[in-house]
Amino acid sequence: MSAPETDTTDAGTTTPGVAVGTTTAGTGVPAAEADADALRERALASLTTARARTTLLTDSVDEPDLVAQHSPLMSPLVWDLAHIGNQEELWLLRAVGGREAMRPEIDTLYDAFEHPRSERPSLPLLPPAEARRYAAEVRGRVMDLLEGADFHGTRLTEAGFVFGMIAQHEQQHDETMLITHQLRKGPAVLAAPDPEPAPPFTGPAEVLVPGGPFLMGTSGEPWALDNERPAHPREVAPFWIDTTPVTNGAYQAFIEDGGYDTERWWSPRGWAHIRQHSLTAPLYWRRDGGQWLRRRFGTTEAVPAEEPVLHVCWYEADAYARWAGRRLPTEAEWEKAARFDPATGRSHRYPWGDADPGPEHANLGQRHLRPAPAGSYPAGASPLGVRQLIGDVWEWTSSDFLPYPGFRAYPYEEYSQVFFGPDHKVLRGGSFAVDPVACRGTFRNWDYPIRRQIFSGFRTARSEAV
């Protein structure tokens, strides 16, 4: 059977919810004006949502916890807070608005490339009250700027890109701050309802993704970041992929079968790493008699067998896949499983189509503080029936973080370009800690293969038998 013809147009070439045409139906308002109003509303909503989350994450702890470094892997929460405000000032007030610097003396303090995380507690950082005032003053001026913003004329402002970039930046730091909350010791300070209970998943364990070309990446998604671009054809051989992420219960079977004690399941670097650091289970797990327990945001609970496994590094994911007689999917395979519709040959924005994520589609936005049971969100499944490709847990792939053909760094090299190479592995799909503004079918995350504090899990794949 021949593969469907690949659609060479890129999904998402217009901003979702923005009218297209010469006038807006029924209003007589010029479309350009209506487009600007819709973009302004989208930017406002995205910035406001991000700031509400930042406030929750920083107001929920006292001052000692704000200024403390809870792990050398993470910044003090107060650094993230002022850094968010500083980046907003740099890009929106200065680069777009042409305003004078409000606090030029702090620019280097909050430059992520100037000072590694381990050094940040020793810097003369703004104290919490001053950091809050600074971020609030920046935001007030940004609201004034947004009222009269022109969404045409420059690459930064076209389709509101720079506002989307800043909203995504803040949400990415909110996820980082949530990781810090998980690392901190002490009683729980955050609360959220659990995901809706889901009946045990009884569908097929894996699905076959057809071989052939598909369109990977994007050239038209207005707020996509540079590493997602450009859209380009990619050929993928047929392969099987797990219908759901690997669960805690499945991963426990790997542990109980001596997975951490059997060298043949591990890559040489992975084996050396787990031996050096005495790893025997995912981060935050401990055995109490015959039961596995885990720490989660200040509470201790039995490890729920039905949830996707969380806080595993790439080496652990790779070893489990080998033990299971499978492998991790490549990044291209993951994206084809998530976006490709065999019936039309088209790549959608999301597994369920082109509509923005809703609560019926995926577990996103810190709406819950844990993954949903494997098999949840049938409305968010891909055309082939693969579930939870968006939200719940970031999914490790086998691929190194590399540029796409035709990549151009924008608006600065340090966002992506300096990380390209074999040192970083790609993660896809987002987690429960990711906001929808920073999560797409094309969105790419990356980290070192040893990282476990991130909200990372995985699913496995296998090549179709020849």
Side-chain angles (χ1 to χ4, degrees):
M1 184 176 69
S2 60
E5 211 171 282
T6 300
D7 184 350
T8 56
T9 60
D10 183 22
T13 54
T14 59
T15 303
V18 174
V20 177
T22 56
T23 63
T24 301
T27 67
V29 177
E33 185 178 327
D35 288 357
D37 287 344
L39 285 167
R40 193 170 287 109
E41 289 176 10
R42 185 183 184 210
L44 176 62
S46 298
L47 291 169
T48 301
T49 298
R51 187 52 47 90
R53 186 177 175 195
T54 300
T55 301
L56 170 66
L57 291 166
T58 52
D59 284 0
S60 58
V61 293
D62 57 19
E63 186 162 322
D65 269 346
L66 275 176
V67 301
Q69 186 174 45
H70 298 280
S71 164
L73 296 173
M74 312 304 291
S75 306
L77 292 169
V78 74
W79 185 93
D80 287 290
L81 174 59
H83 170 76
I84 285 167
N86 187 243
Q87 288 295 294
E88 189 166 319
E89 184 199 349
L90 285 169
W91 287 102
L92 298 184
L93 296 184
R94 298 191 213 173
V96 174
R99 310 283 179 85
E100 293 294 323
M102 294 169 56
R103 300 284 299 268
E105 75 280 3
I106 70 171
D107 286 353
T108 57
L109 294 177
Y110 298 102
D111 185 333
F113 291 90
E114 187 79 19
H115 303 286
R117 287 174 175 174
S118 59
E119 294 179 3
R120 292 171 190 171
S122 63
L123 299 174
L125 303 176
L126 298 181
E130 193 171 350
R132 287 189 175 101
R133 283 195 298 271
Y134 169 64
E137 185 175 355
V138 170
R139 176 53 58 87
R141 297 185 185 190
V142 165
M143 292 297 98
D144 292 339
L145 177 71
L146 182 59
E147 283 186 13
D150 180 2
F151 298 109
H152 302 283
T154 71
R155 188 173 174 188
L156 266 182
T157 57
E158 185 70 31
F161 169 78
V162 70
F163 292 96
M165 181 183 79
I166 288 300
Q168 291 177 80
H169 173 265
E170 182 162 356
Q171 287 286 3
Q172 288 167 337
H173 275 271
D174 289 340
E175 182 179 9
T176 298
M177 288 195 285
L178 189 62
I179 292 170
T180 301
H181 272 268
Q182 169 67 359
L183 285 161
R184 66 177 283 277
K185 302 297 193 292
V189 296
L190 298 175
D194 285 343
E196 288 293 320
F201 181 67
T202 57
E206 60 179 354
V207 299
L208 177 64
V209 180
F214 82 106
L215 199 66
M216 186 172 183
T218 179
S219 295
E221 185 74 32
W223 289 3
L225 304 172
D226 62 0
N227 63 66
E228 301 171 66
R229 301 172 182 269
H232 58 285
R234 189 70 68 96
E235 187 83 19
V236 173
F239 67 98
W240 295 84
I241 192 167
D242 290 341
T243 311
T244 70
V246 170
T247 64
N248 290 320
Y251 199 85
Q252 285 178 44
F254 167 65
I255 298 173
E256 303 300 339
D257 195 43
Y260 282 84
D261 300 313
T262 308
E263 184 175 359
R264 73 177 183 273
W265 305 133
W266 300 82
S267 67
R269 289 185 177 181
W271 182 250
H273 178 70
I274 68 162
R275 295 292 98 188
Q276 179 183 353
H277 296 279
S278 301
L279 304 186
T280 59
L283 186 62
Y284 306 119
W285 285 30
R286 65 179 175 87
R287 195 192 293 271
D288 183 13
Q291 185 179 36
W292 282 104
L293 304 177
R294 71 175 181 187
R295 182 167 62 83
R296 186 179 63 85
F297 297 110
T299 65
T300 299
E301 64 182 16
V303 173
E306 72 281 2
E307 282 186 13
V309 68
L310 190 62
H311 297 301
V312 289
C313 70
W314 185 90
Y315 292 128
E316 290 170 296
D318 178 63
Y320 173 94
R322 295 172 190 240
W323 170 81
R326 298 169 69 81
R327 58 177 174 80
L328 295 179
T330 67
E331 183 181 13
E333 287 174 335
W334 188 97
E335 186 168 324
K336 185 167 189 180
R339 299 183 62 211
F340 182 69
D341 184 349
T344 63
R346 182 171 177 266
S347 291
H348 295 293
R349 296 176 67 224
Y350 297 97
W352 55 85
D354 294 333
D356 289 338
E360 72 277 15
H361 294 128
N363 181 8
L364 292 166
Q366 202 179 310
R367 190 170 71 247
H368 311 295
L369 287 171
R370 63 195 312 149
S376 297
Y377 304 106
S382 75
L384 292 170
V386 187
R387 298 196 184 188
Q388 292 168 286
L389 285 157
I390 298 293
D392 286 306
V393 295
W394 285 107
E395 298 186 13
W396 288 109
T397 73
S398 64
S399 299
D400 297 336
F401 184 48
L402 299 172
Y404 289 158
F407 167 85
R408 292 185 181 181
Y410 186 80
Y412 56 100
E413 291 184 355
E414 290 82 3
Y415 182 73
S416 302
Q417 187 166 309
V418 298
F419 298 102
F420 289 145
D423 291 340
H424 295 89
K425 293 294 186 181
V426 174
L427 301 104
R428 287 303 207 102
S431 73
F432 65 88
V434 174
D435 188 80
V437 77
C439 189
R440 294 170 287 279
T442 58
F443 194 93
R444 308 173 76 195
N445 191 8
W446 64 94
D447 216 325
Y448 293 111
I450 63 172
R451 291 291 186 246
R452 306 206 301 166
Q453 83 279 8
I454 59 178
F455 300 114
S456 52
F458 65 100
R459 72 181 71 217
T460 67
R462 66 179 174 93
S463 301
E464 186 183 24
V466 178

